[in-house]
Amino acid sequence: MSKIAMKRERNTADFMVQCLEEEGVEYIFGIPGEENLAVMNAIEESDIRFITVRHEQGAAFMADVYGRLTGKAGVCLATLGPGATNLITGVADADSDGAPLVAITGQVGTERMHITSHQFLDLTKLFEPITKRTKMVVRPDTMGEIVRLAFKYAESEKPGAAHIDLPVNIGKMPVADTEKPLKKKIAPRELAELEFIQDAAGLIFQAKSPVILAGSGAVRARAAKELTKFAQKLKIPVINTMMAKGIIPFDNPYSMWTIGIPQADYQNKIMEKADLVIAVGYDIVEYAPAKWNGDGKHSIIHIDARPAHINKLYQPEVEVVGDISDSLAQIARRTARNAEPQEALEIKKAMVEEYRQYQEDPSFPMKPQRILSDIRKVMGRDDILISDVGAHKMWIARDYQCYEPNTCIISNGFATMGISVPGAMAAKLVNPDKKVLAVSGDGGFMMNCQELETARREGIPFVTLIFNDSSYGLIKWKQMDQYGKSCFVDFTNPNFVKLAESMHMIGYRIEKAEDLVPTLEKAFRQTVPVLIDCPVDYSENTKLTEHLRELMGKL
């Protein structure tokens, strides 16, 4: 029993923290402020570990990735005004990407909300567009319900963000002894109706060249094993979105790897040749139907825990709504396919051949393909890579192949720069026995590099690898593709090795291609955070664009 539960006199802040304990909260990421002093005092007396960060955005990203990896809402905390607004990008990222998160903010007292007041913003209105639920606490006896509702909304499919706003005077008010935290209930699985399972089975039986498009909902549903069995039994190729990497092992013959980079790639050609798309846990926020069904010709089966979104280019023939693993198993029992997907398998051969040709490329600065090949050599099957957003994210999506879901974390709903370092910190907290690698461009790294101090102080060792090109590389890539020139995207960088050392960490700089693997191996043996500066040759970006243009004409 926590110290709070034994208190004779509790205030609302104490009661809130009790409710957080009942929800199973392990960590709160945040920065204290004047308006949440009572909350901080209550957290100190609880079993929850508070991690003091260097910027509230980092706290939100930590909660975001914690939620995505565990399925339990990560919790971030800030004071009112600027502290709360600093949370917004990370909260919006969690809400868009489908990561459960609860944000808690301090607020001015209710006695001065009706007038112009120092640092006062209507935070419930501010958080409304980026959360599933936002609520201000105005009575101490409502706290139990507000906390339980916040977690229920955050963790229910599709997961997302919720927000609790606690005015400073309400936080200090006494709470009656009779008020208890509400118990967390596990909802029963909802199963799809037999009629729709049979309809889906019939469409699959009749299809000549079906393809599976697997999305992040399948990862959240823990449906990887059943999806792999389904694909193997029915001999159907599987294409995954960026946020569903590893939903089927990349070396499975029916795995056609990842779709979603801006250019049409091998996977787009497989989709183009399909006569039926089986969308499993697919979320249109990540990869719009216009990008794979622009002419609206595809027949679609929607298999998910919730009904399909409305989109004129995503109108399923059948919607199988219920537990994804059960739906896949039930459909597989009622249909059969004997023919191998020969066209897709031939395309897969070309993909594998291209993937292998850069594995020993000696050039320096290093080609992104070689960097990712070397990372794959060092990382185990269930180790975790956290990708930031930038040009490297496109290469990771394309060339970093996965064996298990949730081993490559990419923000591809809101797609936010700056997530990798704080995200890796959360990933290491959740998985202390796994290697955790944050991969970032130099642009994204500088947006939240201060959280490396947090990791060092808190004793959370992981490795950060920077793709260094002194530029906002993805925007430069797009400028070059569209205009044949670039502007306003170049900058200079600090000495990253010295930056790491100034934070009492270890820093390395790669000087030749053959150094990367041994440097990564050495980095993962350290007991403090490590930073690796790796120069990258991003002339490969426009070469890839040209290569894919030619390829699409040939396939």
Side-chain angles (χ1 to χ4, degrees):
M1 182 179 291
S2 73
K3 297 176 186 176
I4 297 173
M6 296 185 287
K7 269 187 159 184
R8 291 187 178 179
E9 292 185 7
R10 295 176 303 163
N11 60 30
T12 310
D14 292 324
F15 185 36
M16 180 178 73
V17 173
Q18 262 192 284
C19 293
L20 297 178
E21 289 179 321
E22 182 67 32
E23 294 291 339
V25 173
E26 301 174 280
Y27 306 101
I28 298 176
F29 309 98
I31 297 180
E34 182 179 350
E35 281 70 25
N36 53 28
L37 293 179
V39 175
M40 302 312 301
N41 188 60
I43 293 170
E44 186 185 28
E45 295 179 341
S46 77
D47 297 326
I48 297 170
R49 178 177 172 185
F50 188 85
I51 294 181
T52 304
V53 303
R54 303 306 301 269
H55 191 287
E56 291 89 351
Q57 186 183 108
F61 282 141
M62 291 171 200
D64 176 344
V65 173
Y66 176 93
R68 184 162 162 188
L69 287 172
T70 65
K72 301 188 300 181
V75 180
C76 54
L77 178 145
T79 190
L80 80 175
T85 58
N86 281 347
L87 286 176
I88 283 176
T89 298
V91 172
D93 187 87
D95 200 57
S96 185
D97 282 7
L101 175 149
V102 173
I104 300 169
T105 55
Q107 185 56 281
V108 302
T110 54
E111 76 283 356
R112 59 187 180 101
M113 289 182 183
H114 63 292
I115 54 173
T116 300
S117 190
H118 179 66
Q119 292 191 318
F120 173 61
L121 288 171
D122 187 336
L123 294 179
T124 56
K125 284 186 179 178
L126 195 67
F127 278 82
E128 187 174 9
I130 57 168
T131 59
K132 296 174 71 178
R133 177 185 171 85
T134 174
K135 190 63 63 176
M136 180 188 290
V137 182
V138 294
R139 289 169 51 106
D141 61 354
T142 62
M143 180 61 84
E145 293 166 328
I146 287 173
V147 171
R148 179 79 282 273
L149 278 163
F151 279 80
K152 186 177 181 68
Y153 272 73
E155 294 174 352
S156 298
E157 189 64 27
K158 173 185 172 182
H163 169 237
I164 299 171
D165 195 30
L166 180 60
V168 61
N169 62 325
I170 304 295
K172 294 176 180 178
M173 288 181 180
V175 175
D177 291 341
T178 53
E179 292 296 331
K180 305 294 181 187
L182 273 63
K183 298 293 183 183
K184 185 173 184 175
K185 304 289 185 181
I186 305 299
R189 288 194 308 164
E190 295 184 7
L191 305 181
E193 294 183 27
L194 182 58
E195 172 190 351
F196 301 113
I197 286 170
Q198 290 174 330
D199 288 346
L203 284 176
I204 293 169
F205 182 76
Q206 294 167 18
K208 293 181 180 178
S209 55
V211 65
I212 295 166
L213 176 60
S216 55
V219 175
R220 290 193 300 270
R222 307 289 194 265
K225 288 183 179 178
E226 202 60 54
L227 179 66
T228 302
K229 285 166 57 179
F230 181 89
Q232 289 183 171
K233 178 181 185 293
L234 300 178
K235 300 178 172 60
I236 302 175
V238 179
I239 294 169
N240 57 265
T241 63
M242 290 189 194
M243 290 172 61
K245 288 180 76 71
I247 193 68
I248 178 173
F250 93 95
D251 53 355
N252 185 292
Y254 299 107
S255 171
M256 301 295 145
W257 305 354
T258 304
I259 198 167
I261 68 170
Q263 301 82 1
D265 206 340
Y266 291 100
Q267 294 75 21
N268 298 81
K269 188 59 68 170
I270 295 170
M271 296 280 287
E272 183 183 306
K273 294 174 181 290
D275 63 347
L276 175 68
V277 175
I278 306 164
V280 182
Y282 164 71
D283 190 338
I284 65 175
V285 74
E286 184 180 4
Y287 191 61
K291 295 181 178 179
W292 56 268
N293 193 29
D295 55 9
K297 71 173 185 177
H298 287 308
S299 293
I300 300 169
I301 296 172
H302 174 87
I303 302 175
D304 203 350
R306 59 194 184 124
H309 287 286
I310 301 300
N311 188 292
K312 65 183 179 182
L313 296 176
Y314 189 74
Q315 299 189 49
E317 304 289 322
V318 180
E319 294 191 39
V320 183
V321 179
D323 180 84
I324 292 176
S325 292
D326 181 76
S327 295
L328 291 170
Q330 294 294 341
I331 293 168
R333 290 192 194 107
R334 290 168 172 80
T335 192
R337 295 184 58 79
N338 297 315
E340 293 285 356
Q342 291 299 338
E343 278 193 289
L345 294 176
E346 286 300 314
I347 291 174
K348 173 77 174 283
K349 286 180 184 177
M351 290 162 53
V352 171
E353 183 179 344
E354 182 183 321
Y355 175 66
R356 288 175 176 166
Q357 72 184 43
Y358 293 95
Q359 291 182 348
E360 305 301 328
D361 189 298
S363 58
F364 190 84
M366 294 180 71
K367 289 183 170 60
Q369 302 97 313
R370 168 70 190 269
I371 297 173
L372 293 168
S373 176
D374 283 359
I375 291 171
R376 185 70 276 178
K377 291 174 185 175
V378 175
M379 302 288 277
R381 291 178 71 100
D382 62 350
D383 290 332
I384 300 171
L385 183 152
I386 311 287
S387 173
D388 214 273
V389 174
H392 67 282
K393 171 185 153 182
M394 302 306 154
W395 289 106
I396 288 170
R398 192 170 192 268
D399 284 354
Y400 185 76
Q401 308 304 342
C402 299
Y403 299 91
E404 304 285 344
N406 274 340
T407 57
C408 180
I409 301 299
I410 297 176
S411 169
N412 202 41
F414 207 54
T416 311
M417 293 178 73
I419 193 174
S420 64
V421 168
M425 212 179 115
K428 189 65 176 179
L429 282 171
V430 174
N431 299 279
D433 298 328
K434 294 181 181 180
K435 295 188 187 85
V436 174
L437 178 68
V439 178
S440 181
D442 42 10
F445 172 75
M446 290 296 289
M447 292 184 178
N448 271 312
C449 62
Q450 70 278 352
E451 299 310 338
L452 287 174
E453 187 280 327
T454 307
R456 179 69 177 88
R457 170 171 31 91
E458 293 287 340
I460 305 168
F462 59 89
V463 177
T464 301
L465 176 68
I466 300 173
F467 280 48
N468 187 343
D469 72 325
S470 298
S471 177
Y472 290 116
L474 181 57
I475 303 307
K476 178 181 280 190
W477 186 355
K478 290 175 182 288
Q479 288 176 334
M480 294 300 295
D481 282 356
Q482 292 186 42
Y483 302 108
K485 62 178 183 177
S486 65
C487 56
F488 312 120
V489 289
D490 297 320
F491 46 74
T492 58
N493 283 314
N495 183 317
F496 288 126
V497 172
K498 289 184 177 179
L499 177 66
E501 291 170 349
S502 74
M503 294 188 187
H504 312 291
M505 298 164 42
I506 297 171
Y508 302 114
R509 180 175 171 84
I510 304 302
E511 301 289 353
K512 53 185 185 296
E514 55 264 38
D515 286 349
L516 182 55
V517 167
T519 301
L520 281 166
E521 290 173 339
K522 181 167 55 175
F524 280 116
R525 290 195 293 268
Q526 309 306 317
T527 57
V528 296
V530 176
L531 181 63
I532 301 173
D533 177 7
C534 185
V536 61
D537 176 10
Y538 270 156
S539 67
E540 289 298 305
N541 295 347
T542 51
K543 290 178 186 176
L544 177 63
T545 299
E546 187 56 36
H547 165 64
L548 292 177
R549 282 178 186 151
E550 293 176 5
L551 188 68
M552 291 304 103
K554 294 176 183 177
L555 290 176

